[in-house]
Amino acid sequence: MTTIQDIVKILTDAGIEANEANIEVKLLIEHFCGYGVKDIIMGKKIDPAKLEIVKEKALQRAKTREPIQHIIGFADFMGEKFIVNPSVLIPRDETEILVRKAIDVINANDLKFALDVGTGSGCIACMIAKYTDCQIIGLDISTDALNTALDNASRLNLFNKAIFRKSDVFSNVKPGEVFDVIVSNPPYIPIKEKAEIQKEVLYDPDLALYTDDEEGLTFYQRIISGASGILKPGGFLLFELGIDQADKVACIMKENGFKNIEIIKDLAQIDRVIVGQL
């Protein structure tokens, strides 16, 4: 009979780190067996037939390196479960730093109108809408991504607080629309690096990851140069950053009239978030 340890071993034998393998098997068991912490405490046994389903999913994960979030259809982000699929970027821990900083800026300055450029799953827009009094518009060029974002906003009952619109960067911002804050986790990986990227990341949409320039700065330049036309004076601009991009992005921001620039490191001490004020 298959045991949980057998399933963990399937993943570790495929090169997945032991701690990560344990977490992933726990997620699979919760999702496919409906078996959680309460069941462990109560001493409830897992249905062997359902455990076989978990084993099949673990074998799928081991063979293809498809992300666990795609296999279960959800990703955890800031305490909420977000629908994810191949049309959207899987939310990552680093993006929480961006969102928490945006929430702090919005609440400290009592800001009311925000814009999320390249919204994807809508996780940034939804969490800002949930934890502030802001109304936020999420923009994305992908119709499939926008449909996912809408599903996530409706699951969180954020109607009229998180709104989504098809747009190539600012192409569909309406005349006269101005914002207190713009936030973005844009594509920032140079396309030349795709060949060396982790297998799991290849399941994320290219549109959300890669740029056509050598340094991964195309979207920072487009957003920064266009932001001054739709940000209110004193408005804030926040980005997630790729490795070694902080100084270059800060320079572009300064050239476009931004000041009070702050760079925030992630847990690995990598410059991960930048914020500036127009």
Side-chain angles (χ1 to χ4, degrees):
M1 192 173 79
T2 300
T3 67
I4 292 171
Q5 287 71 28
D6 294 335
I7 298 170
V8 171
K9 190 172 185 299
I10 289 167
L11 297 183
T12 55
D13 285 352
I16 295 165
E17 190 268 323
N19 188 49
E20 187 63 29
N22 277 294
I23 291 167
E24 292 189 1
V25 171
K26 179 175 172 284
L27 289 170
L28 289 170
I29 289 169
E30 283 177 357
H31 187 75
F32 291 104
C33 304
Y35 186 93
V37 175
K38 187 179 174 184
D39 299 303
I40 295 169
I41 294 166
M42 299 291 288
K44 185 179 171 185
K45 301 291 184 190
I46 300 175
D47 180 342
K50 288 183 177 177
L51 201 59
E52 285 302 316
I53 295 170
V54 172
K55 181 182 176 182
E56 285 173 25
K57 300 298 180 182
L59 287 166
Q60 176 186 337
R61 166 87 172 106
K63 183 180 178 182
T64 66
R65 298 309 282 260
E66 182 179 2
I68 201 76
Q69 294 90 344
H70 284 181
I71 291 170
I72 64 176
F74 290 96
D76 289 313
F77 186 73
M78 292 181 67
E80 298 290 350
K81 285 194 182 301
F82 281 84
I83 299 164
V84 292
N85 51 53
S87 69
V88 301
L89 200 64
I90 294 167
R92 288 167 171 85
D93 292 344
E94 294 87 351
T95 305
E96 284 199 21
I97 303 166
L98 173 68
V99 177
R100 291 186 190 283
K101 182 62 181 178
I103 289 166
D104 288 347
V105 166
I106 289 165
N107 288 336
N109 295 279
D110 195 27
L111 306 179
K112 299 300 181 191
F113 298 103
L115 192 67
D116 173 23
V117 183
T119 197
S121 67
C123 64
I124 293 173
C126 287
M127 289 295 94
I128 288 172
K130 180 176 179 180
Y131 289 111
T132 73
D133 290 330
C134 241
Q135 183 183 67
I136 185 163
I137 297 174
L139 305 178
D140 207 288
I141 198 168
S142 163
T143 302
D144 289 339
L146 289 167
N147 287 334
T148 304
L150 280 166
D151 287 343
N152 281 319
S154 64
R155 280 168 55 85
L156 293 167
N157 295 315
L158 293 170
F159 298 104
N160 299 321
K161 279 205 77 185
I163 299 161
F164 299 97
R165 187 187 299 170
K166 187 163 186 173
S167 184
D168 180 5
V169 185
F170 300 132
S171 67
N172 202 18
V173 172
K174 295 172 184 174
E177 278 186 326
V178 288
F179 301 90
D180 299 303
V181 59
I182 297 172
V183 61
S184 182
N185 177 18
Y188 55 64
I189 302 172
I191 190 68
K192 64 181 181 181
E193 293 180 16
K194 184 176 181 179
E196 298 147 32
I197 212 126
Q198 192 180 350
K199 284 182 183 176
E200 283 83 350
V201 178
L202 295 173
Y203 284 88
D204 282 323
D206 286 4
L207 270 176
L209 291 174
Y210 303 109
T211 70
D212 56 8
D213 68 305
E214 289 287 309
E215 298 179 294
L217 299 175
T218 297
F219 285 93
Y220 295 115
Q221 289 169 326
R222 286 183 66 188
I223 293 166
I224 293 164
S225 62
S228 57
I230 57 172
L231 262 182
K232 293 177 184 175
F236 294 86
L237 177 61
L238 299 95
F239 289 112
E240 182 173 321
L241 298 164
I243 293 170
D244 295 330
Q245 291 178 325
D247 291 343
K248 294 164 190 168
V249 174
C251 187
I252 300 167
M253 290 175 78
K254 287 171 186 171
E255 288 170 356
N256 284 270
F258 286 87
K259 59 181 184 179
N260 301 331
I261 290 171
E262 180 187 358
I263 295 165
I264 301 155
K265 294 182 184 295
D266 63 16
L267 292 174
Q269 296 304 299
I270 294 166
D271 292 334
R272 187 57 70 184
V273 169
I274 190 166
V275 54
Q277 193 172 12
L278 189 64

